[in-house]
Structure formats: C-alpha cells, structure tokens
Amino acid sequence: MAPNGTSAVGAQPYTEEQLDFCRRLPKVERHAHLNGSVRQSTLQELYKKTSEGTSTSSAASVAIAKGDTRNLSEMFAVFGVVHHVVRGAELLTRVTREVLEDMSADGVVYAELRTTPREHQDVGLDKRAYIEAVLQGIEEHRRLAKDGVCIARLILSIDRKDPVTVAEDTVNLAIEYSNRGVVGLDLCGDPALGWGRWRQDWEPAFERGRKQAGLKVTLHAAEMAGMDEEMADMLAWGPDSLGHVCFLSPGEELRLFESRTPVELCLSSNVLSKSVESYSAHHFGRFLERGHPLAICTDDVLVFSSPLSREYALAMSTFGLDEAKVTDLARDAFETSFLEKGRDYNEVLARLRAPS
Ligand code: IMP
Ligand code: ZN
C-alpha cells in the first residue's frame, strides 16, 4: 500500500493531513467479513505453524500486492487459506479480538462484523460454539481494550453456495442469539456459484429471521453483470441494507434510489477485484451526489490492505470532499447501522459527536 494512495487506480492521491484526519475521525464499520479481516501477521504465524515451517507464500498471497488486482473468483479462493488455519474456539476468539483492536486503533468506534458459522469438525467445534467464540472475542476486546473500545455487533452470513438447509440453520442460530449480540443476517459468497435462488431459497429464510426475531437483513447484491432480476426481487422484498451494488442497470439504480435502501460501499474491494474500473469511476460519486444513504466500508482488510481510514481518505481526495463532509459521512454510516437503541447506541453517538 502506498502511503498516499498513489498506486490506487484512478484515485487522486491523498495527503498525509487527509489521512491523519480520517484516522482521528470516529468512524463506523458496517461491512467487514471476520475471516477477511484477520490480522496479516496472525495469518502468517498460524500458517507457518499449520504447515510446520514450510513456505508462507500462500498466506502472503492472500493480500493483494501493491499495484496488483484480482478478479472476484480469485478473491474467493483466498478465503480457503484463512479457513484452513483459523480453526477452533480459541483462535476464533483471538482473531475477533485482534480485528476489533485494529479497528479501534484506526478510529472505528462501532463495527458490525459478519461471519458464516462453520463447524470445525477436526477440533470438535459446532456452529453454536463458533458463534460463542466470536461473541467471546467481542466481549474480551471490550473488557481488555486499553486505548478505546470498538463496540461491536455480529451479523451471521449465509453463503450463496450452500444448500437452503444451511441457510435455515443459520437463521435458527441468529434467532437464538438475537438478544446476545447478533443483530442481523447477510447473504454473501461467490455470486457466480449461487444466483437465481433469491425467491425460492433466500427470501423465505430472511423473512423468517426478520419476522421471528426482528433481525435486520443485508444482502450482497449486483456483484456481477446480469443480476438485474435478482436485484429487482430483492428490492421488492425490502432489505435493510445492500452491499456493493456494482453492476446495476440504470433502471435498477433508479429503483434503488427511489427505495432509499442504504448501501455499504467498499471502494478498494470493488476496484481491486475488478468490479469497478477505477476509484474515480466508482458509483460512490453518483450515490453521494444523489444524497443516497450510504456507508463507506472495507469488506476484507486482510485481502485489500486498506483500513477504513484509508478508504475515507481515498474518497476524500478522489471526490474532493472537505472535512465537514467526511465527518457527515461517518455519522451517516451510523444512521444506517443495525445497532439497537440503548446504552451502546448512546455511547457510540456521543463518540461520533465528540470533536476529533
Ligand atoms: P467469514 O464468513 O468470516 O468466513 O468471511 C469470509 C467469507 O466472506 C468468504 O468465504 C465469502 O463467503 C464472504 N465474502 C468476503 N468478501 C466477499 C465479497 O466481496 N462478496 C461476497 N462474499 C464475500
Ligand atoms: Zn462483502
């Protein structure tokens, strides 16, 4: 990563002052996949142990090298490396705590982490234990954080490639943990492997989570060309938030604008995975101009090596935003969040309002 973003395709380089401002700005992260956000040094360490001292090249190649890009399918392949080494409750708790420590150091005051519950049969971990290990990491961070806490909630992801029975299981677990830190459900995974299943498989599952436990729903949407029909069905159902929306036809984009459904926009993820041509061509510009509710997010900081402050700095320099506008964006992100009203909500709001 170039310090001033000069290697970022089509981005205006940001200044050290802009980056510093964005680091100090209290921010909200709404779209971060747990296993895509594992600390790079931890991954290296775990990979080395797992492969007993052999090469660490696979672990190193998880992150996109400076100036390099990767298409969406190649990007999905890298998660296999992370899933191979982050196994068992202890490691899940540790990586969750570290992700939040890193976010806190970057000025993030509230984060919605999302993860796909998995069984780790080799170490006797079931999905319930998986969720509890992640919640434990959130709790430990809160208890142990020395330099400010990043308050966090969990979203459970449903992977498009999985059978509907897995989705139903995940919804059951989200309902079960809905008053213990799980606030929502997400549809994620490689769109090339699972599109065209919205009406039959996913909509009934999300509908049940929403009805039975008031869970919020966010959907990875329009991540590749030709997904207009699914997008139309999703909008007709009415999700609480949508991620990426890189490949919208003009008609669907207009429908999205009219729906006012908030969007999570991940500039580096979209550019480095070749979903969007360049930073300057990113639809963030159009959405901002339109006043559409949005949150700037990282997606997978391990893969794209760009923490939230850098994403804000890139938006700031590329789209000519001043400090007041960037501050508004951080607060707008919170407005679109799934955090329930109460003590934590008030605390996050107070920290967002405090001068940086
Ligand atoms: P996990 O759910 O914590 O294991 O995080 C990694 C998973 O997040 C991957 O296996 C993908 O299913 C999902 N993911 C990460 N980035 C993206 C994305 O850009 N689009 C869709 N799914 C993603
Ligand atoms: Zn994502």
Side-chain angles (χ1 to χ4, degrees):
M1 181 201 357
N4 59 1
T6 44
S7 73
V9 199
Q12 284 299 320
Y14 48 76
T15 63
E16 278 305 321
E17 290 71 33
Q18 286 175 318
L19 183 61
D20 183 53
F21 174 80
C22 293
R23 278 200 186 119
R24 282 184 291 108
L25 180 73
K27 297 172 291 298
V28 166
E29 172 63 83
R30 288 211 42 236
H31 187 137
H33 298 268
L34 178 65
N35 284 303
S37 307
V38 169
R39 193 181 275 172
Q40 177 72 236
S41 58
T42 298
L43 183 70
Q44 299 282 1
E45 175 200 320
L46 299 178
Y47 189 80
K48 221 175 192 166
K49 268 189 208 152
T50 315
S51 52
E52 283 163 9
T54 58
S55 149
T56 58
S57 60
S58 274
S61 69
V62 166
I64 294 182
K66 187 171 142 190
D68 197 6
T69 59
R70 192 178 259 151
N71 70 31
L72 206 59
S73 290
E74 288 162 347
M75 189 192 98
F76 283 106
V78 307
F79 294 115
V81 178
V82 189
H83 293 147
H84 178 66
V85 299
V86 180
R87 301 197 77 70
E90 208 176 302
L91 282 181
L92 279 166
T93 299
R94 170 181 165 188
V95 300
T96 305
R97 199 185 60 234
E98 289 178 348
V99 165
L100 293 174
E101 279 167 15
D102 292 348
M103 286 184 178
S104 171
D106 192 47
V108 179
V109 295
Y110 171 64
E112 278 161 11
L113 296 180
R114 56 185 75 191
T115 196
T116 319
R118 288 186 182 77
E119 286 167 8
H120 296 171
Q121 279 171 349
D122 50 329
V123 289
L125 182 100
D126 65 13
K127 290 185 184 178
R128 209 168 259 111
Y130 182 106
I131 295 168
E132 289 188 8
V134 175
L135 291 173
Q136 165 93 8
I138 293 176
E139 207 279 312
E140 276 185 16
H141 165 68
R142 194 168 187 143
R143 191 158 37 84
L144 302 174
K146 290 190 190 83
D147 306 314
V149 173
C150 176
I151 290 171
R153 292 292 186 272
L154 191 58
I155 293 172
L156 298 189
S157 296
I158 291 170
D159 192 321
R160 285 174 179 272
K161 74 171 166 17
D162 285 334
V164 69
T165 47
V166 173
E168 291 297 349
D169 267 0
T170 304
V171 171
N172 290 339
L173 288 165
I175 292 171
E176 184 179 332
Y177 285 89
S178 61
N179 52 7
R180 293 165 56 191
V182 173
V183 289
L185 288 161
D186 163 49
L187 180 65
C188 74
D190 189 346
L193 299 181
W195 57 280
R197 295 172 61 191
W198 170 257
R199 282 230 193 124
Q200 197 188 325
D201 288 351
W202 313 131
E203 186 184 307
F206 287 113
E207 177 74 18
R208 196 163 63 80
R210 175 180 269 181
K211 275 227 173 88
Q212 290 187 11
L215 290 161
K216 301 282 189 183
V217 174
T218 179
L219 307 169
H220 282 70
E223 280 193 276
M224 58 179 204
M227 295 183 82
D228 261 20
E229 200 180 317
E230 181 186 88
M231 181 70 189
D233 288 343
M234 286 173 167
L235 279 179
W237 179 70
D240 299 288
S241 191
L242 290 167
H244 300 308
V245 293
C246 297
F247 291 92
L248 292 178
S249 64
E252 284 314 311
E253 187 169 285
L254 193 62
R255 243 202 269 213
L256 172 58
F257 285 149
E258 283 164 0
S259 75
R260 303 284 298 160
T261 309
V263 290
E264 304 135 26
L265 298 181
C266 313
L267 279 78
S268 292
S269 164
N270 298 156
V271 173
L272 295 179
S273 65
K274 301 182 188 166
S275 301
V276 170
E277 200 177 291
S278 67
Y279 286 85
S280 52
H282 198 281
H283 43 296
F284 169 80
R286 285 199 305 282
F287 280 59
L288 188 70
E289 205 171 295
R290 181 89 191 198
H292 192 82
L294 62 86
I296 296 179
C297 306
T298 57
D299 208 15
D300 300 291
V301 76
L302 169 72
V303 183
F304 304 113
S305 307
S306 190
L308 195 57
S309 58
R310 183 172 180 269
E311 293 297 289
Y312 271 76
L314 284 164
M316 193 175 188
S317 56
T318 306
F319 296 94
L321 314 179
D322 62 17
E323 292 185 357
K325 184 67 201 169
V326 174
T327 306
D328 285 348
L329 279 175
R331 288 176 196 171
D332 292 350
F334 183 58
E335 295 291 311
T336 71
S337 82
F338 294 171
L339 185 60
E340 68 282 358
K341 294 266 161 50
R343 222 178 72 200
D344 285 352
Y345 187 96
N346 294 337
E347 184 179 330
V348 174
L349 199 58
R351 287 173 69 191
L352 286 171
R353 283 184 179 148
S356 54

